[in-house]
Amino acid sequence: MRQQDPPPAGTGHAPVRRPSQATDVPHGGDLIGALVSVTIDDHTVKVPVGTTILDAARRVGVHIPTLCHHDDLCVAGVCRVCVVEVEGQRTLQASCAYPITQPTTVRTHTRQVRQARRHIIDLLLSEHAGECTTCFRNGNCELQALAKEYGVDSFRFGRPDRPRHKVDRSSHAVVRDMNKCVLCRRCVRTCIDLQEVGVLEAVGRGEATTIATYLDKPLAEMICINCGQCINRCPTGALRANDPTDEVWAAIDDPTKHVVIQTAPSPRAGIGEEFGLEPGTPMTWEMNTALRRCGFDKVFDTNFTADLTIIEEGTELVLRLHKNLVQGDSSLPLPQFTSCSPGWIKYVEHFYPQYLPHVSTCKSPQQMFGALIKTWYAQLHGIDPAGIVSVALMPCSAKKFECNRPEMCDSGYKDVDYGLTTRELAQMIREAGIHLTEMPRSDFDDPFGTASGSGVIFGATGGVMEAALRSVIEFVTGKKVEDFYAHADIVPVRGFEGCRHAEVQIPKEVGPVPGLIRHLVPDWNWLKGATLKVGVVHGTANARKVMEDIKAGGPFSQCHFIEFMACPGGCLGGGGQPIPTGPAIRAARARAIYAEDAAYGEAGKARKSHDNPAVLRLYQEFLTDGPCGHKSHHLLHTHYTPRGKYIG
Amino acid sequence: MTICNDMTLAAIEPDAGLAAALKLDRAGVIGEIRRSGMKGRGGAGFPTGVKWNLAAAAQGDRKFIVCNADEGEPGTFKDRVILTEWPGRVFEGMTIAGYAVGATEGILYLRGEYAYLRHGLEQCLAKRREEHLLGNDICGKTGFGFDVRIHMGAGAYVCGEETALIESLEGRRGEARNRPPFPVNTGLGGMPTIVNNVETFAWATAILARGADWFKAIGTEQSTGPKMLSVSGDVERPGVYEFPLGTPIREVLRAAGGEDAKAVVVGGASGQCVPANRFARTVSYEDVATGGAVIVFGPGRNMLDVAENFLEFFVDESCGQCTPCRIGNVKLLEGVRRLKRGECSTQQLRELRALGETMRVASKCGLGQSSPNAFLSIIEHFRREIPSRVPVTVEA
Ligand SMILES: Cc1cc2nc3c(=O)[nH]c(=O)nc-3n(C[C@H](O)[C@H](O)[C@H](O)COP(=O)(O)O)c2cc1C
Ligand code: SF4
């Protein structure tokens, strides 16, 4: 058959949609920024012209129920749950989509409004083949919550007597059960507008409308990047991650298995939300104890390999720079792209395969760790690697796909056996009857020990770049980062702006090349006075912008190093994190992460990757030919698959 | 399809309206249309002059004049007759609109099933270009350029809804947009866009040619001018008729030979059902509004069949976007079938009626808002046709 561009089914053009229409202000110009008065029930308030009724209501503390609305997404106005009465309008208006442009009077719970909302909820339930008791969203489902809020006590318009759709379990990352779908289209807006990937789209008309992939093919065959952002925004249980907890429990229960778990920084900043804590309450040390009580034999800190990544990827960058700037050899082109986000990797493989040579060959911290656990760690402790079950606790659904890549077996075994999300671990902890918040605190296990603060900040957008810069600056200048940036906080690369630029001026004075990489570069003279240009990008919609900018020879093409994260906010906003998500929740998680980094400094622990004693020990004892050496290449580096967008 | 009575349009001199318009300034043209009191002929009945004025005032690098020739309403076929008989009038009207609002691009959105008309329409466009009625410096008016292209629809009823039509023009699924903003400000490609019905453009030429006063003299105060009606169903002479707005339904039936009808549905599947004892009601915006469809039901018809048929249409043709329309129509259809089988309790019937009210007010676009009309009016007027219910317990 003819090859076709899969997204968005039928339209065949780039899946870019205009942002929220609702804030469009007719006649523009002079009205922008003007205030207009709105009366919502008993509250009168002035809001900027173009504010939606929903936002205005929130401002005065009036609750309007919503379902298809999401703070991260463009307006849809399709579920109609948020309808209100607007004086002078014949019909009810969707408050999420109605911009206030003139003095307006709104009533949010008249008889007609209540009846309409109740009808809408009843109609949704009539099509929702959900069995609350057997659903992973039980207790955290927006439809369930609405049913409770509106006192639904019967299926007034019936309910499905049998499933209409086959559950798609093809993907390692995302399971789709369209029987539970309420057609809010948040996943579509996530995939098309927020991430600009475009795997999911509404197809069919009328009663036959469904959310589907191109030709309804299995997700595993699509250009899905496994970011799981759709899962985080699904109001029901229609989308979930591919859950390996049964297998993990089975391994724990098997006395012949040595079950180890590595934990990434973001789950610690998020897991508290699963237990009713405020977003941004870190649970690092309590979680360590909980993991041990669950039965994991060892608890390791993925930040160890985050630090290792900085050394390897930083060395690779130095080598690329030297090749390009000194030797005039552009076979390994600049800018170098980071490689720790598996969603980003699959995105490049599909959308920009010609740019794969820019991507660092370093494996992600998860996979580096996997390769080391079944080699170095096994050797050190005299454990048969065949008996090791290696689990990775990640904020991420793409990590599940990543650990199943066929090339990720460099230890001679499957390097990482299971990728577990924050949500899934929370489930295991609940199941084990453990009260996470009451756990005594405990540290990570050796030989990897506690990592540096730089490893921790990998969880936030800009973190990898900041960690890399801390090391590069010290390597090249021979001075402390603190001499340039107070408390080693490289603030210019922090924040949530989608695409960021920063420049680091290398002083005229450079230091000696540190021993670790002295065999690779003779001196730093060639970097004297140079300006190191870096970029930080999160969310693949922003990645697309930057890639197009690079293609067009724009400012990002002048960068030397760019950090890309597939998920908005970086890993802390990953597809395996607690639901719900939103800008405020992600900001709170980021605060927790930066606070942990700062705490490392206050406690006198390492804050820079190259100061991590365990990393140094690794190079002394195991990776003896140094960063980017032969052994490191074998275990810690990888290659990519140009996939393209076309699906046969 | 037969033309069944005298058509005013046939008597209007071609391109006289355009010539008259170009003698006026833009405000003058809009003023004339406003004074005529004409309301849109596509169904919603928005005053055309007001729409043009809004689009003229809107800011935009480009503006578009879109002619809605989707004619998807069941029982409507008068636009097809206009496009067959007087295609030049439609393009002339669009050109006048372009002049009035400052647009240079026109698009005729043609119903997929009317593909066979395309060739003739293209020929008409080519001829008009040759005659300098389209293109640059139209009729020698320096600086005024306008042209029209034809865009084929693909068979979705909802694409007749103006914002869904625009989505479709932009290459996406035909689905209604949130309003506001309205197309006159934020239409095709975000630019100010006028969407008018085929007949609306045709009458615009007549208004310019003969003057607003002439137009106003026809019809009623709130419903000015003549209106073309597509009359079908149980009548002796189905076809396209022209009547002054304000004409009683009875008179339409007399002309078409359907006096013994038990009901007419005015406005197509989304219209309302008028029973025989209300045939004195008039076809007008203030009474029984219609985009043009008059479907006549003879004495032998079962009105629940009619409701079922219309609801089947909406169950398929809803764009599937919003809850009340997508699922509501399914539930109404199930309800009508239960009524037909005599299995609907009064409690359930009350619930269905309330659901219909919700669909009217809570649906996102006109499709869902009007889809329960026929059902609700049939339930109201033909209670006696609802088979006595068999008591059943409400399902859990
Ligand atoms: C579901 C639906 C279908 C419609 N179909 C048509 C149509 O086929 N032709 C038409 O002119 N207007 C149709 N309309 C009305 C248009 O949205 C719009 O109001 C009209 O084209 C405006 O033109 P007018 O002001 O000249 O009537 C439809 C509206 C709805 C809600
Ligand atoms: S009312 Fe029907 S056609 Fe209109 S937006 Fe809703 S689902 Fe679509």
Side-chain angles (χ1 to χ4, degrees):
Chain A
M1 93 177 236
R2 220 192 81 178
Q3 299 210 318
Q4 283 192 2
D5 210 352
T11 59
H13 64 84
V16 185
R17 229 170 251 200
R18 85 201 83 61
S20 150
Q21 300 166 11
T23 46
D24 272 11
V25 180
H27 303 297
D30 35 323
L31 285 179
I32 303 269
L35 293 180
V36 58
S37 159
V38 55
T39 302
I40 301 176
D41 301 333
D42 311 327
H43 311 264
T44 300
V45 63
K46 281 197 184 319
V47 294
V49 169
T51 305
T52 63
I53 292 175
L54 181 64
D55 285 340
R58 285 177 174 179
R59 205 169 293 184
V60 295
V62 170
H63 168 72
I64 297 176
T66 55
L67 185 63
C68 70
H69 177 83
H70 194 285
D71 286 343
D72 286 330
L73 302 175
C74 63
V75 170
V78 297
C79 75
R80 316 305 286 174
V81 165
C82 71
V83 287
V84 293
E85 249 179 61
V86 176
E87 209 169 270
Q89 298 283 339
R90 188 176 49 87
T91 56
L92 302 179
Q93 301 295 320
S95 58
C96 69
Y98 192 97
I100 302 165
T101 53
Q102 57 190 33
T104 304
T105 302
V106 177
R107 271 174 289 272
T108 68
H109 52 81
T110 60
R111 191 198 66 84
Q112 194 179 43
V113 167
R114 292 193 321 272
Q115 168 163 309
R117 286 185 190 153
R118 175 68 200 273
H119 273 139
I120 288 163
I121 295 164
D122 283 333
L123 289 175
L124 289 170
L125 289 173
S126 80
E127 302 249 291
H128 175 74
E131 293 288 346
C132 290
T133 46
T134 57
C135 182
F136 92 110
R137 292 293 293 273
N138 189 1
N140 185 19
C141 165
E142 293 180 42
L143 184 62
Q144 195 184 45
L146 277 175
K148 183 162 164 52
E149 193 174 320
Y150 278 79
V152 172
D153 53 4
S154 70
F155 292 101
R156 246 201 301 187
F157 298 117
R159 61 189 303 197
D161 47 4
R162 74 188 89 88
R164 287 201 298 171
H165 306 273
K166 227 174 89 206
V167 179
D168 179 1
R169 299 178 194 278
S170 65
S171 157
H172 286 297
V174 183
V175 176
R176 296 176 65 239
D177 181 356
M178 289 301 101
N179 298 300
K180 295 178 181 174
C181 174
V182 292
L183 291 168
C184 69
R185 305 206 189 175
R186 283 190 191 168
C187 59
V188 174
R189 284 175 282 152
T190 300
C191 198
I192 295 185
D193 301 313
L194 186 75
Q195 291 292 68
E196 290 190 16
V197 173
V199 171
L200 302 173
E201 178 59 297
V203 302
R205 205 163 63 196
E207 191 193 13
T209 308
T210 50
I211 306 302
T213 57
Y214 175 66
L215 296 180
D216 217 9
K217 285 174 182 259
L219 197 57
E221 292 172 25
M222 305 308 300
I223 57 169
C224 170
I225 63 167
N226 302 312
C227 68
Q229 292 300 307
C230 53
I231 300 175
N232 288 6
R233 289 170 184 79
C234 178
T236 72
L239 297 172
R240 61 181 302 182
N242 207 333
D243 183 348
T245 44
D246 284 346
E247 288 87 341
V248 173
W249 277 125
I252 289 175
D253 294 340
D254 182 344
T256 68
K257 296 291 184 207
H258 182 73
V259 188
V260 304
I261 186 162
Q262 53 163 311
T263 76
S266 289
R268 307 163 196 171
I271 196 165
E273 295 161 39
E274 288 279 340
F275 295 91
L277 300 183
E278 278 301 305
T281 315
M283 283 279 114
T284 313
W285 317 108
E286 293 83 353
M287 195 176 78
N288 284 349
T289 312
L291 285 166
R292 289 192 181 91
R293 294 208 182 164
C294 280
F296 288 98
D297 295 304
K298 294 284 173 186
V299 180
F300 297 139
D301 187 354
T302 307
N303 296 341
F304 166 76
T305 35
D307 285 335
L308 186 60
T309 299
I310 289 304
I311 305 300
E312 290 289 330
E313 201 163 334
T315 304
E316 184 185 348
L317 177 65
V318 165
L319 290 174
R320 276 192 202 234
L321 287 170
H322 194 255
K323 269 206 161 104
N324 281 271
L325 305 181
V326 180
Q327 301 169 6
D329 169 0
S330 59
S331 56
L332 285 175
L334 293 173
Q336 174 174 303
F337 300 160
T338 58
S339 59
C340 12
S341 163
W344 152 246
I345 292 299
K346 193 139 181 287
Y347 181 81
V348 206
E349 288 179 335
H350 283 303
F351 288 84
Y352 295 96
Q354 70 275 32
Y355 283 90
L356 283 172
H358 288 258
V359 181
S360 161
T361 57
C362 288
K363 286 180 182 172
S364 71
Q366 162 178 296
Q367 292 306 130
M368 285 195 183
F369 221 136
L372 291 175
I373 285 170
K374 294 197 182 178
T375 53
W376 188 45
Y377 169 74
Q379 273 172 36
L380 273 182
H381 291 254
I383 304 170
D384 177 6
I388 296 181
V389 175
S390 177
V391 182
L393 172 65
M394 294 288 145
C396 182
S397 49
K399 292 281 177 195
K400 294 171 186 281
F401 173 85
E402 185 185 34
C403 76
N404 282 295
R405 281 177 179 255
E407 63 269 28
M408 293 297 176
C409 294
D410 290 324
S411 61
Y413 303 88
K414 193 177 172 197
D415 291 337
V416 171
D417 293 286
Y418 303 109
L420 202 63
T421 64
T422 312
R423 295 188 296 266
E424 289 153 0
L425 176 66
Q427 180 52 39
M428 289 180 72
I429 290 177
R430 274 193 290 270
E431 209 172 324
I434 293 167
H435 297 285
L436 177 68
T437 51
E438 290 159 24
M439 285 295 106
R441 299 153 65 91
S442 64
D443 210 336
F444 292 98
D445 284 311
D446 282 332
F448 306 109
T450 307
S452 78
S454 282
V456 178
I457 58 174
F458 261 56
T461 163
V464 177
M465 188 53 70
E466 180 164 353
L469 289 177
R470 285 179 187 170
S471 288
V472 167
I473 290 170
E474 296 207 348
F475 276 13
V476 176
T477 63
K479 296 196 176 117
K480 293 268 155 222
V481 194
E482 287 83 346
D483 296 348
F484 306 94
Y485 298 95
H487 312 295
D489 292 342
I490 307 183
V491 177
V493 295
R494 294 188 181 181
F496 282 103
E497 201 192 315
C499 319
R500 321 200 271 288
H501 241 304
E503 294 189 352
V504 175
Q505 194 70 41
I506 309 278
K508 294 270 189 296
E509 296 274 303
V510 289
V513 178
L516 201 57
I517 55 172
R518 198 167 298 147
H519 59 293
L520 297 172
V521 270
D523 57 59
W524 295 128
N525 292 337
W526 52 284
L527 279 178
K528 276 184 183 167
T531 305
L532 196 58
K533 296 180 181 168
V534 300
V536 174
V537 189
H538 60 123
T540 43
N542 293 317
R544 179 196 291 269
K545 280 193 204 115
V546 167
M547 292 306 295
E548 291 302 319
D549 176 85
I550 290 174
K551 251 189 187 171
F556 280 96
S557 68
Q558 301 304 309
C559 280
H560 300 107
F561 191 30
I562 306 181
E563 174 199 305
F564 286 96
M565 292 290 160
C567 294
C571 305
L572 56 84
Q577 288 284 69
I579 299 170
T581 186
I585 292 173
R586 292 192 295 274
R589 291 176 191 160
R591 280 195 297 277
I593 281 175
Y594 284 112
E596 186 161 331
D597 169 39
Y600 276 50
E602 284 149 24
K605 294 192 214 164
R607 284 192 68 210
K608 299 152 203 166
S609 300
H610 55 276
D611 291 341
N612 179 335
V615 169
L616 300 175
R617 180 180 167 203
L618 175 74
Y619 282 112
Q620 272 156 18
E621 294 182 8
F622 188 63
L623 302 176
T624 44
D625 49 359
C628 294
H630 182 72
K631 194 152 189 182
S632 129
H633 255 286
H634 172 58
L635 290 175
L636 307 184
H637 290 250
T638 185
H639 57 272
Y640 305 106
T641 312
R643 296 174 199 265
K645 275 190 280 187
Y646 298 92
I647 298 197
Chain B
M1 196 49 69
T2 13
I3 295 178
C4 297
N5 61 0
D6 287 345
M7 294 277 142
T8 310
L9 270 184
I12 310 267
E13 193 192 330
D15 301 311
L18 179 58
L22 294 182
K23 290 202 188 91
L24 302 172
D25 61 5
R26 287 167 50 175
V29 175
I30 293 173
E32 200 65 11
I33 299 287
R34 282 184 91 152
R35 260 188 346 102
S36 78
M38 175 167 62
K39 292 181 178 164
R41 267 29 184 177
F46 191 80
T48 306
V50 175
K51 187 182 279 187
W52 289 19
N53 196 37
L54 288 168
Q59 320 267 328
D61 300 339
R62 295 160 80 189
K63 293 183 185 179
F64 296 95
I65 307 295
V66 176
C67 175
N68 188 342
D70 197 50
E71 198 163 48
E73 189 66 54
T76 314
F77 39 81
K78 47 100 188 166
D79 290 345
R80 174 168 48 151
V81 167
I82 298 173
L83 291 167
T84 310
E85 299 294 324
W86 306 289
R89 296 302 155 76
V90 179
F91 298 135
E92 181 191 344
M94 292 174 74
T95 313
I96 293 172
Y99 176 69
V101 309
T104 57
E105 292 167 79
I107 299 163
L108 179 89
Y109 188 92
L110 187 62
R111 176 184 165 111
E113 290 85 340
Y114 291 175
Y116 74 98
L117 289 177
R118 181 165 188 173
H119 181 67
L121 291 168
E122 295 283 8
Q123 277 182 328
C124 177
L125 285 172
K127 185 153 167 287
R128 292 183 72 81
R129 286 183 197 114
E130 258 167 44
E131 292 170 356
H132 300 289
L133 297 167
L134 285 174
N136 295 324
D137 302 335
I138 290 172
C139 294
K141 181 109 182 165
T142 13
F144 173 50
F146 186 78
D147 212 328
V148 176
R149 66 182 169 86
I150 296 174
H151 187 102
M152 295 307 299
Y157 167 63
V158 71
C159 286
E161 195 281 332
E162 57 186 11
T163 59
L165 187 154
I166 290 170
E167 286 282 297
S168 160
L169 280 177
E170 290 180 2
R172 279 189 286 271
R173 266 173 80 80
E175 288 187 343
R177 292 179 177 176
N178 291 307
R179 306 183 323 161
F182 294 94
V184 284
N185 285 303
T186 310
L188 183 57
M191 296 295 158
T193 303
I194 279 183
V195 182
N196 273 129
N197 175 250
V198 170
E199 188 186 345
T200 309
F201 284 119
W203 288 124
T205 67
I207 292 167
L208 268 296
R210 298 207 170 168
D213 292 328
W214 162 80
F215 192 84
K216 260 187 354 194
I218 305 165
T220 70
E221 197 172 324
Q222 286 176 60
S223 305
T224 57
K227 175 87 188 83
M228 293 189 179
L229 299 178
S230 320
V231 183
S232 64
D234 299 325
V235 289
E236 281 157 32
R237 294 174 293 280
V240 175
Y241 290 78
E242 181 189 308
F243 290 99
L245 281 169
T247 301
I249 292 170
R250 180 171 295 121
E251 224 159 284
V252 177
L253 288 173
R254 191 175 306 136
E259 287 107 321
D260 64 342
K262 74 190 267 191
V264 295
V265 174
V266 181
S270 63
Q272 45 175 316
C273 177
V274 181
N277 60 6
R278 312 265 166 103
F279 283 172
R281 295 183 66 180
T282 63
V283 177
S284 60
Y285 298 107
E286 61 270 27
D287 194 356
V288 187
T290 174
V294 175
I295 309 175
V296 182
F297 295 95
R301 299 285 172 177
N302 177 341
M303 294 315 285
L304 283 180
D305 288 345
V306 174
E308 182 181 19
N309 181 279
F310 286 170
L311 285 167
E312 282 170 354
F313 174 79
F314 288 120
V315 163
D316 286 342
E317 292 296 337
S318 155
C319 79
Q321 188 182 183
C322 75
T323 316
C325 172
R326 181 185 69 245
I327 315 180
N329 278 303
V330 174
K331 297 302 158 191
L332 291 189
L333 177 59
E334 285 173 11
V336 167
R337 289 186 176 151
R338 247 183 288 130
L339 279 171
K340 280 179 68 178
R341 293 196 304 268
E343 289 172 4
C344 188
S345 68
T346 39
Q347 154 83 17
Q348 285 170 328
L349 184 58
R350 207 176 307 129
E351 203 56 77
L352 289 174
R353 191 181 296 155
L355 174 62
E357 291 300 336
T358 287
M359 290 163 67
R360 272 187 171 160
V361 293
S363 294
K364 182 166 174 176
C365 84
L367 191 155
Q369 288 162 11
S370 58
S371 60
N373 285 351
F375 170 80
L376 290 174
S377 51
I378 286 171
I379 295 298
E380 183 184 335
H381 298 304
F382 294 93
R383 292 201 137 251
R384 263 175 296 133
E385 284 191 25
I386 299 173
S388 59
R389 67 178 179 87
V390 178
V392 285
T393 46
V394 182
E395 299 151 46

